[in-house]
């Protein structure tokens, strides 16, 4: 090849490559669209291999939804921008949970200053493994909504996020690039959207299907009424030792069937949260698949369900299928027109201040494990795991699926629909068209 051919080629390569590299870093400092900001809506999908849920909001790929997660984190390109170790963002990421999310759009630097790039500590909610990663700015996009369908213009914005090494993705769905923490912590996704977009720290989750950030009405196709106004409400409880997590004030658990109540014979205050130690209480998880109960709660709970379902003598018990403890022959269960199977309803009785108790029907309480075997979809917490200072009950996704949940940390309130099946709507029936 002659020199005069190579030379222009080299020049044009330079012209193509170098501005692109610069642009890639600069592009992560997005200017927010103008206020007043509209509520945002993103699809939630279930990964069948892991039973985890992902949200499509980050430009580089889906993020696993972690209701108890304090940070947004993902793998990064090598030219990611960084924050200074003396920035407010760095204080929020590493603080005591007191430094609130900065109210302005993040302004990271493209030039990494050695020794003074902020390090965050993202953790994998499934494996529990943590790693160190640069705090960076993560480009995101979402559609805006009026609560019924999409508004014409999608928006792009940045959030403060942590980089994480590729191996922190272990046990997450194939294709997921990180985790979206939705806790009350200052750098969780809803806290950042609240601080910078004035959306209020209110968001709705409906698994699997849709997440909505902001103070908005919500309609699902198949059901004519606005949902947030008519569903149940309960005060949220805060655990001083795990201040990001969402707890609900459950005081008793009762099986309700054929108009008879069978309460689980729990020790007094078995479900109570001890604010001094952080032990006990009932919390919500989008990472645990099945609700897990501390042994002293699980035993009486199983007994009550077994007694309630056994009372009429029509339901045939079959050998248990691990990890479940109570299983039934589906052919002995009576199907209901709209609500699955006719089995005892599990009623979580809520403390004063709630508008309703939380009732779980078969769609949330049973799981099919074979052709004709249905099991009670609740697990005993592993001994030691959480028994010492963990929650008494962690409500998992099998129990939250097809339920609309609206978490409102500003008002310390949870709104909950119970299973939507039977109403005509499902979590998959949000109208994702303009
Ligand atoms: C907005 O919604 C449209 C239609 O559902 C979809 O194709 C597009 O990817 C969405 N945009 C964002 C940023 O989520
Ligand atoms: C949410 O919206 C409703 C109706 O527009 C309004 O009355 C209420 O004050 C808003 N709440 C917050 C926290 O902004
Ligand atoms: C929950 O159930 C208990 C027991 O039946 C009842 O006393 C209480 O009033 C119920 N709470 C609400 C808010 O309906």
């Amino acid at each position: 090849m002659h020199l005069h051919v190579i030379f222009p080629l080299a020049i044009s390569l330079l012209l193509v490559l170098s501005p692109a590299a610069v642009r890639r870093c600069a592009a992560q400092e997005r200017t927010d669209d103008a206020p007043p900001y509209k509520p945002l809506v993103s699809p939630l999908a279930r990964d069948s291999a892991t039973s985890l849920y992902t949200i499509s909001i980050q430009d580089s790929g889906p993020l696993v939804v972690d209701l108890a997660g304090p940070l947004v984190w993902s793998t990064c390109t090598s030219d990611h921008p960084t924050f200074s170790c003396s920035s407010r963002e760095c204080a929020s990421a590493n603080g005591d949970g007191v430094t609130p999310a900065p109210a302005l759009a993040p302004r990271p630097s493209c030039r990494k200053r050695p020794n003074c790039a902020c390090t965050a500590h993202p953790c994998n909610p499934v494996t529990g493994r943590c790693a160190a990663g640069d705090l960076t700015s993560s480009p995101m996009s979402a559609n805006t909504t009026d609560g019924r369908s999409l508004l014409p213009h999608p928006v792009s914005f940045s959030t403060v996020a942590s980089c994480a090494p590729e191996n922190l993705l272990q046990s997450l769905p194939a294709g997921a690039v990180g985790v979206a923490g939705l806790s009350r912590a200052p750098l969780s996704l809803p806290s950042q959207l609240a601080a910078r977009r004035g959306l209020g720290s209110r968001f709705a989750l409906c698994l699997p299907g849709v997440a909505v950030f902001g103070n908005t009405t919500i309609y699902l196709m198949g059901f004519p009424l606005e949902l947030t106004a008519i569903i149940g409400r309960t005060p949220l409880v805060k655990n001083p030792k795990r201040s990001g997590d969402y707890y609900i004030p459950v005081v008793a658990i009762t099986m309700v069937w054929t108009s008879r109540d069978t309460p689980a014979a729990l020790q007094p205050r078995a479900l109570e949260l001890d604010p001094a130690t952080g032990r006990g209480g009932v919390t919500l998880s989008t990472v645990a698949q099945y609700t897990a109960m501390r042994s002293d709660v699980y035993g009486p709970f199983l007994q009550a369900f077994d007694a309630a379902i056994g009372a009429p003598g029509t339901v045939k018990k079959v050998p248990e299928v691990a990890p479940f403890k109570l299983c039934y022959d589906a052919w002995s269960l009576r199907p209901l027109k709209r609500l699955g199977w006719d089995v005892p309803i599990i009623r979580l009785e809520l403390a004063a201040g709630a508008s309703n108790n939380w009732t779980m029907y078969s769609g949330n309480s049973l799981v099919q494990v074979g052709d004709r075997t249905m099991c009670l979809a609740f697990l005993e917490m592993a001994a030691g795991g959480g028994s010492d200072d963990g929650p008494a009950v962690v409500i998992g996704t099998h129990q939250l699926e097809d339920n609309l949940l609206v978490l409102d940390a500003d008002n310390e309130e949870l709104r909950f629909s119970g299973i939507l099946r039977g109403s005509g709507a499902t979590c998959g029936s949000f109208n994702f068209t303009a």
Side-chain angles (χ1 to χ4, degrees):
M1 217 184 262
H2 292 293
L3 199 62
H4 70 270
V5 176
I6 295 171
F7 195 58
L9 187 69
I11 295 274
S12 54
L13 270 180
L14 267 180
L15 284 177
V16 170
L17 288 183
S18 57
V22 171
R23 244 195 335 266
R24 186 137 106 229
C25 182
Q28 299 189 13
E29 299 178 40
R30 297 193 169 193
T31 38
D32 279 354
D33 51 318
Y37 299 113
K38 297 285 196 305
L40 301 177
V41 62
S42 298
L44 295 179
R46 182 176 191 273
D47 175 62
S48 54
T50 59
S51 304
L52 295 168
Y53 288 84
T54 57
I55 184 168
S56 296
I57 194 166
Q58 181 166 279
D59 293 358
S60 65
L63 300 176
V64 171
V65 171
D66 179 10
L67 197 53
L71 287 175
V72 177
W73 62 261
S74 65
T75 50
C76 289
T77 54
S78 56
D79 60 350
H80 60 266
T82 57
F83 285 95
S84 137
C85 50
S86 56
S87 62
R88 270 188 80 122
E89 288 82 1
C90 196
S92 301
N94 291 299
D96 43 13
V98 172
T99 306
L104 296 171
R107 289 265 172 268
S109 162
C110 282
R111 254 178 310 125
K112 183 166 176 170
R113 279 182 292 166
N115 307 326
C116 195
C118 178
T119 299
H121 302 276
C123 296
N124 178 316
V126 179
T127 61
R129 242 194 91 222
C130 300
D134 286 342
L135 199 65
T136 188
S137 162
S138 178
M140 295 194 166
S141 320
N143 277 294
T144 53
T145 182
D146 60 1
R148 272 182 196 277
S149 57
L150 305 185
L151 296 172
H153 303 294
V155 293
S156 294
F157 52 93
S158 311
T159 54
V160 179
S162 174
C163 291
E166 190 85 29
N167 63 13
L168 202 63
L169 298 174
Q170 198 196 344
S171 304
L172 301 186
V177 299
V179 168
L182 302 182
S183 81
R184 305 176 211 242
L187 290 187
S188 76
L189 182 57
S191 299
Q192 293 196 57
L193 294 175
R196 279 201 294 281
R197 301 182 72 83
L199 292 181
S201 53
R202 178 168 150 182
F203 64 99
L205 289 181
C206 208
L207 304 176
V210 60
V212 181
F213 298 92
N215 179 16
T216 174
T217 54
I218 294 180
Y219 292 85
L220 294 174
M221 289 190 292
F223 186 72
L225 303 179
E226 196 280 297
L227 284 156
T228 66
I230 60 170
I231 62 180
R233 297 167 178 232
T234 176
L236 282 169
V237 180
K238 222 170 178 168
N239 184 340
K241 301 288 179 191
R242 290 181 193 75
S243 60
D245 295 7
Y246 304 98
Y247 283 73
I248 55 171
V250 181
V251 293
I253 306 176
T254 300
M255 313 306 145
V256 183
W257 204 32
T258 58
S259 69
R260 257 189 32 183
D261 286 6
T262 312
L266 304 178
Q267 295 297 316
R269 307 162 67 145
L271 299 170
E272 212 171 275
L273 172 66
D274 177 355
T277 60
R279 179 180 191 270
V282 177
T283 190
L284 308 176
S285 170
T286 55
V287 172
Q289 184 175 7
Y290 299 107
T291 295
M293 297 174 160
R294 211 172 52 205
S295 314
D296 63 300
V297 176
Y298 190 65
F301 169 77
L302 279 189
Q303 268 175 19
F305 192 89
D306 196 35
I309 200 169
T314 54
V315 177
K316 190 172 154 229
K317 216 152 130 178
V318 296
E320 65 188 64
V321 177
F324 306 109
K325 287 280 187 259
L326 286 178
C327 299
Y328 304 96
D329 180 358
W331 292 12
S332 71
L333 300 177
R334 198 167 68 89
L336 293 173
K337 217 192 288 167
R338 312 179 74 154
L339 279 168
W341 302 101
D342 188 16
V343 294
I345 295 161
I346 299 169
R347 183 171 71 202
L348 305 184
E349 295 178 9
L350 298 167
S355 69
N356 296 79
N357 288 319
W358 184 325
T359 48
M360 293 179 178
Y361 293 86
S362 67
N364 290 128
S365 63
L366 298 185
V367 59
Q368 182 157 9
V369 299
D371 261 1
R372 48 187 284 192
T373 307
M374 301 291 293
C375 297
L376 183 64
F378 289 73
L379 303 178
E380 181 170 8
M381 275 178 198
S387 313
D388 303 333
D389 63 350
V393 178
V394 178
I395 301 181
T397 56
H398 189 79
Q399 278 68 40
L400 299 178
E401 275 161 12
D402 201 26
N403 286 236
L404 176 66
L405 302 174
V406 182
L407 290 123
D408 186 339
D410 289 341
N411 296 309
E412 288 294 343
E413 180 188 79
L414 169 74
R415 300 190 195 181
F416 56 99
S417 68
I419 197 157
L420 292 170
R421 182 194 301 183
S423 72
T426 71
C427 285
S429 61
F430 186 81
N431 183 0
F432 274 102
T433 63

